[in-house]
Amino acid sequence: MKEVFIGRENLQRLIGRWAKDYRVYVPVTFDIMNNEATPDYELVAGEVPEKLHLEGAALAHTAKSFIFYSREVVAKYPSSDPEADVEAPPTVIVGPRACDVRGLAKFDKVYWSTVHFTEEYDDPFIIEKRKNTYIVSLDCTAAKETCFCTMVGGEPYPKEGFDLNLAPIDSGFVLTIGSEKGEKLVAGSDDLVSELQSTHGQERERSRNSVTEAVNRQNADFRVEGSFDRYDLEGSPESWAYVTQNCVGCGACNRVCPTCTCFLLVDQRAKGGYERTRNWDTCLSLGYARTGGGGNSRPELLQRLDNRLRCKFEYSRDRYGLVTCTGCGRCIDACMGKIDMREAIKHVVTEKAKA
Amino acid sequence: MKNLYRPIESVIEDIKQETPNINTYRFRPKEPVTFAAGQFVELTVPGVGEAPFTPSSNPNVTDTMEITIMEVGSVTEALAKMKVGDTVGIRGPYGHGYNLTDFEGKEILIIGGGVGLAPLRSLILALFDDIDRYKKISIRYGARTPEDIVYKDLLPEWEKMKNTEVQQTIDEPHPDWRGTVGVVTVLLDDLPLVTTVDVDVPFHAETAIACVCGPPIMLKFVNVGLLQKGFKPENIYHSMERNMSCGLGKCGHCMLGEYYICKDGPVLTAAQIEKFGDPF
Ligand SMILES: Cc1cc2nc3c(=O)[nH]c(=O)nc-3n(C[C@H](O)[C@H](O)[C@H](O)COP(=O)(O)OP(=O)(O)OC[C@H]3O[C@@H](n4cnc5c(N)ncnc54)[C@H](O)[C@@H]3O)c2cc1C
Ligand code: SF4
Ligand code: SF4
Ligand code: FES
């Protein structure tokens, strides 16, 4: 992959050039209540914001929200066109981290032709947006307390799956071009980049190593025997009941997760007939597996949390050859029951070993 | 790109009442929706929503499709209020059909409970179209009461088909009922425990095929019963009831472990689900 150097001001200019042809989202911090600086994405309208938030770890918002909307009309009937009516303007997202980028791989497996699904199952709404979305990812420069990417086969910096990647260093950024789409974003901007110096590369390695070590260090206590991609979480109902005791079934964990792909189709009246909307759904809800007449294959909350975690580690592995927990820690941050999946896995696996 | 979520307008051509809460509807889709026995479709009641159903008509008839539907909740109740001439939506077909070439030359046991005979009817009709290819067809059907029996007029016709038998049971004794009484598993009682190919017994469990559809509790007990009788797990086909939203292997609702029932099923063999213990 081609790598160049770009200074801070020049990056600002480059983003400004994108904003002429694309919708561009950049990470900034918002002052919400208590003056806490909360980083989130902002759509560039006019000038590129002066203070971009390009350090730290993953934002609360996942990259998935840009291709998989929480609610979207997917059909209008009765008089509907066989072709999908998809609105997917070219969009650049600056700021996804490694755990977001890895999450998109699950979407590609589920929604795009893979060995499991033939082309006739391609989802136009996801694919058109995916094709028109340009991922400009970032190395993490610090870990959140809940980050554990290195425990699930990842690193705090993207290795693939991005169009451009920015690695912050003292004097600017190492810019890596990861795809043809990435080439397109830097084409005609040779005036803003320069050749990479070996010191730039060394600086980036130092930063990457130190963040990796920090993530490893903060998770040392959660390590269990065996490799994450071989976890067998078929634990006892008691161990799952213990893990689930503070779960209220709110589904916050599903919503913030970069690899939760599930949805529910809901029909309603609309102008000229009816419309079908696709809505994010959550496997933690009682109704998720409910069948006609009131049957339910997962009536207990503990069965549903068990299903969620095993979906990430076992079922996706068996189905797609992917472990679909990317260790972003968002579900831990979001949980009002303070359920930490690192502890949950450790508990289930160690109880199992004892049995 | 083609829109996977679009329902195809379909007109209700006929409604036949089977039982107080089950009707058979004949639909004529505006664009052909062809299916193989065992596949299912998503049926839209406009503005109310969708639900998955397996057509009950002959798959070799392609311009119309019949579905036998029990009223249980929002979509099915709204459908029950519709009339001949009204429009619904259909998309599909989804999932795999039965691999009928695997059934050739074999004894086929078809076990249905309640409205569960409906999805099996398309299989039965497909088998009848090539009846000489199969050694024997035995249809065993259980309903709660005589009133709850679907296809009352068709069952006697089926019995007249070559190499075909029909056995029925109802759950509780009833003044109008002369036949077998007991839940559907009593219809497995005449199957011999151990068989050899040259003895004249109703079924040769080691080679016979069983296709089962009905409420989860029935599947559970029939599965145990058939395994005890020596049926091979790979020859027992269960129609799995799961919540389904998309039918396309995407929404996640139907998942059982790594399987999408909508995509890998809706019919799975006992061998495929063995590892889940009691997944019904
Ligand atoms: C492959 C397949 C084939 C089938 N074939 C047939 C057939 O041939 N004939 C037949 O009669 N039936 C068949 N069924 C069963 C049929 O799909 C159900 O009876 C039907 O879905 C019931 O829909 P409903 O809206 O009327 O019922 P409801 O009970 O209202 O709805 C069940 C659905 O609505 C949702 N829901 C309802 N209430 C709640 C709640 N409180 N909270 C959350 N969610 C809720 C659930 O998502 C669920 O999917 C089949 C099922 C499958 C999977
Ligand atoms: S966020 Fe926590 S409380 Fe809510 S469903 Fe997930 S695990 Fe349960
Ligand atoms: S399961 Fe939790 S930690 Fe893993 S990817 Fe999803 S939100 Fe992140
Ligand atoms: S019904 Fe949506 S994945 Fe099977």
Side-chain angles (χ1 to χ4, degrees):
Chain A
M1 277 186 255
K2 194 179 158 206
E3 300 195 312
V4 290
F5 171 83
I6 185 164
R8 281 176 194 275
E9 274 119 56
N10 279 352
L11 176 64
Q12 210 84 9
R13 285 188 194 105
L14 183 61
I15 294 174
R17 287 180 190 174
W18 295 339
K20 294 199 181 79
D21 301 319
Y22 303 88
R23 282 197 314 181
V24 182
Y25 287 89
V26 289
V28 294
T29 52
F30 292 91
D31 282 340
I32 337 186
M33 295 180 295
N34 316 334
N35 268 346
E36 226 180 292
T38 308
D40 203 350
Y41 292 101
E42 184 173 74
L43 179 64
V44 177
E47 288 294 297
V48 178
E50 214 172 291
K51 273 192 76 186
L52 297 178
H53 179 81
L54 301 170
E55 35 310 304
L59 309 189
H61 245 103
T62 54
K64 84 170 176 190
S65 346
F66 293 99
I67 59 159
F68 180 51
Y69 297 165
S70 57
R71 183 173 175 283
E72 177 173 24
V73 175
V74 293
K76 290 194 162 96
Y77 61 91
S79 54
S80 68
D81 186 341
E83 292 295 305
D85 178 16
V86 189
E87 211 188 304
T91 304
V92 179
I93 321 285
V94 182
R97 303 307 206 273
C99 52
D100 277 313
V101 175
R102 284 178 81 205
L104 293 173
K106 164 95 181 293
F107 281 83
D108 292 347
K109 295 273 188 194
V110 174
Y111 290 99
W112 216 336
S113 331
T114 68
V115 284
H116 304 279
F117 302 111
T118 46
E119 256 171 44
E120 53 185 313
Y121 287 90
D122 276 356
D123 187 301
F125 300 92
I126 301 284
I127 295 174
E128 294 292 337
K129 288 200 221 46
R130 186 83 169 94
K131 282 186 186 158
N132 285 335
T133 300
Y134 294 70
I135 303 289
V136 181
S137 56
L138 277 168
D139 277 20
C140 292
T141 58
K144 297 180 284 128
E145 253 172 57
T146 51
C147 293
F148 62 101
C149 51
T150 61
M151 279 178 82
V152 289
E155 301 82 17
Y157 48 90
K159 281 171 133 174
E160 56 181 10
F162 54 83
D163 298 309
L164 294 178
N165 183 63
L166 293 163
I169 52 176
D170 263 353
S171 48
F173 300 88
V174 177
L175 175 66
T176 307
I177 300 154
S179 72
E180 272 175 32
K181 279 158 79 183
E183 298 272 4
K184 223 174 112 189
L185 289 180
V186 291
S189 290
D190 286 347
D191 56 323
L192 300 180
V193 300
S194 60
E195 209 178 303
L196 197 69
Q197 307 297 314
S198 60
T199 49
H200 295 144
Q202 287 156 7
E203 211 187 313
R204 177 180 63 178
E205 286 326 296
R206 273 199 301 278
S207 166
R208 286 183 166 181
N209 290 341
S210 99
V211 182
T212 305
E213 270 167 39
V215 178
N216 283 337
R217 215 175 313 122
Q218 72 186 22
N219 289 299
D221 283 349
F222 298 113
R223 289 222 172 260
V224 279
E225 290 286 323
S227 161
F228 69 94
D229 60 356
R230 285 281 156 263
Y231 281 153
D232 174 2
L233 299 176
E234 190 176 2
S236 63
E238 293 74 29
S239 64
W240 279 104
Y242 176 81
V243 164
T244 313
Q245 56 188 329
N246 291 328
C247 177
V248 296
C250 63
C253 49
N254 297 113
R255 291 177 178 270
V256 297
C257 179
T259 66
C260 274
T261 48
C262 290
F263 64 80
L264 181 70
L265 297 171
V266 177
D267 289 20
Q268 61 193 32
R269 268 180 196 284
K271 220 169 59 197
Y274 307 94
E275 64 185 16
R276 174 160 298 155
T277 60
R278 166 160 71 190
N279 303 266
W280 285 2
D281 204 357
T282 132
C283 59
L284 267 301
S285 76
L286 178 61
Y288 184 86
R290 185 185 177 280
T291 47
N296 200 325
S297 52
R298 288 190 288 275
E300 304 295 335
L301 197 48
L302 73 95
Q303 295 172 308
R304 303 198 287 274
L305 193 61
D306 165 324
N307 180 70
R308 174 169 198 271
L309 265 56
R310 291 176 71 192
C311 172
K312 301 289 175 212
F313 287 90
E314 290 176 51
Y315 309 153
S316 296
R317 173 192 70 207
D318 294 347
R319 182 81 196 189
Y320 300 114
L322 275 184
V323 165
T324 56
C325 173
T326 68
C328 74
R330 287 184 177 99
C331 59
I332 309 173
D333 299 330
C335 183
M336 65 173 90
K338 301 221 179 307
I339 295 172
D340 186 326
M341 73 185 280
R342 297 170 295 186
E343 275 167 15
I345 291 169
K346 186 177 177 184
H347 181 79
V348 172
V349 174
T350 45
E351 287 300 302
K352 199 179 159 76
K354 275 192 228 159
Chain B
M1 286 176 77
K2 197 185 76 164
N3 188 356
L4 304 166
Y5 301 99
R6 178 186 78 116
I8 291 170
E9 271 186 273
S10 307
V11 177
I12 303 179
E13 240 182 32
D14 185 53
I15 303 173
K16 177 177 159 235
Q17 183 171 17
E18 302 280 354
T19 79
N21 66 351
I22 301 175
N23 290 335
T24 297
Y25 301 82
R26 189 169 72 241
F27 302 107
R28 184 175 292 272
K30 291 201 169 156
E31 298 158 35
V33 182
T34 56
F35 66 96
Q39 286 189 300
F40 72 99
V41 297
E42 285 283 348
L43 180 83
T44 304
V45 175
V48 180
E50 288 186 301
F53 299 98
T54 303
S56 60
S57 51
N58 190 330
N60 299 323
V61 175
T62 53
D63 51 345
T64 59
M65 171 190 294
E66 286 174 16
I67 312 182
T68 303
I69 296 175
M70 181 159 83
E71 254 180 83
V72 293
S74 51
V75 171
T76 48
E77 277 163 16
L79 180 68
K81 294 199 182 82
M82 297 182 85
K83 294 183 201 63
V84 170
D86 287 350
T87 301
V88 298
I90 290 178
R91 58 184 179 93
Y94 300 124
H96 293 289
Y98 294 95
N99 188 353
L100 294 185
T101 46
D102 276 358
F103 290 15
E104 286 181 16
K106 295 185 180 153
E107 298 159 334
I108 301 157
L109 181 60
I110 293 175
I111 307 174
V115 75
L117 187 60
L120 294 169
R121 181 176 157 228
S122 63
L123 170 67
I124 292 168
L125 297 177
L127 295 175
F128 284 170
D129 275 0
D130 290 303
I131 192 119
D132 292 325
R133 295 205 186 149
Y134 314 102
K135 196 163 157 204
K136 176 171 185 171
I137 299 170
S138 177
I139 300 163
R140 299 176 181 216
Y141 177 45
R144 224 156 38 86
T145 71
E147 208 185 30
D148 294 311
I149 293 172
V150 296
Y151 311 136
K152 292 182 192 70
D153 50 332
L154 299 177
L155 289 160
E157 297 300 313
W158 293 355
E159 207 159 11
K160 289 183 204 145
M161 295 295 293
K162 201 166 136 190
N163 298 334
T164 303
E165 60 163 15
V166 176
Q167 292 187 29
Q168 293 186 66
T169 180
I170 58 163
D171 289 359
E172 305 278 340
H174 190 282
D176 300 340
W177 186 252
R178 305 268 165 272
T180 312
V181 174
V183 290
V184 69
T185 41
V186 305
L187 297 181
L188 304 182
D189 288 352
D190 70 321
L191 299 179
L193 255 181
V194 181
T195 61
T196 49
V197 197
D198 47 330
V199 180
D200 186 25
V201 288
F203 264 88
H204 299 91
E206 63 276 20
T207 55
I209 304 276
C211 301
V212 195
C213 184
I217 185 84
M218 176 198 128
L219 297 193
K220 179 179 167 159
F221 286 107
V222 168
N223 189 51
V224 171
L226 289 173
L227 291 171
Q228 273 169 1
K229 298 283 182 179
F231 275 69
K232 296 238 170 73
E234 58 271 28
N235 289 336
I236 306 174
Y237 293 83
H238 290 292
S239 296
M240 301 293 290
E241 167 86 340
R242 276 292 183 284
N243 179 313
M244 291 186 185
S245 183
C246 69
L248 300 160
K250 306 201 182 315
C251 75
H253 281 264
C254 66
M255 282 191 90
L256 167 65
E258 73 274 23
Y259 290 115
Y260 291 96
I261 303 289
C262 68
K263 193 82 183 52
D264 308 321
V267 173
L268 293 183
T269 65
Q272 284 174 295
I273 55 182
E274 225 164 19
K275 66 172 174 182
F276 299 107
D278 172 15
F280 306 109

